[in-house]
Amino acid sequence: PNIYKRYVPYIIRACLNPFTLIAMTRSYFVSLCDINYPKMDQSQTLRSALEEKARKQPTASGPAKPTRKMKPGQAKTISDLPQLSA
């Protein structure tokens, strides 16, 4: 089984499975006819989950850092970049 997974590309293995082949073929033809296919559920997307989390969390402790006006042609420094939170 290891050789099978290692040397045979995933798309070929997927096409050998009749259920997957039928689902992929059906989705392909539906996508040709429907511009908005597939309709994404907004509650399941990562972006909407992160936006929801950002709305619920209060801003960082203390007052927000005031934004500085940049002069035309002025180079940005490291302190001008937004802070990333892990």
Side-chain angles (χ1 to χ4, degrees):
N2 256 351
I3 296 171
Y4 179 70
K5 285 185 180 180
R6 190 171 191 178
Y7 294 109
V8 179
Y10 173 75
I11 191 70
I12 303 299
R13 285 186 281 137
C15 288
L16 293 175
N17 182 346
F19 297 109
T20 307
L21 182 64
I22 291 170
M24 287 192 316
T25 306
R26 181 178 162 274
S27 297
Y28 172 73
F29 284 108
V30 169
S31 70
L32 289 178
C33 300
D34 187 5
I35 292 174
N36 296 323
Y37 181 83
K39 295 191 177 24
M40 293 198 143
D41 183 10
Q42 291 298 329
S43 64
Q44 298 297 320
T45 61
L46 179 62
R47 179 179 294 275
S48 66
L50 291 175
E51 288 172 351
E52 197 64 36
K53 182 180 176 185
R55 269 190 239 120
K56 288 181 181 177
Q57 287 183 343
T59 58
S61 61
K65 183 176 161 183
T67 58
R68 290 187 350 195
K69 293 281 184 185
M70 299 291 289
K71 295 176 187 168
Q74 180 181 356
K76 288 191 175 188
T77 62
I78 296 294
S79 61
D80 294 328
L81 298 174
Q83 291 289 328
L84 297 177
S85 60

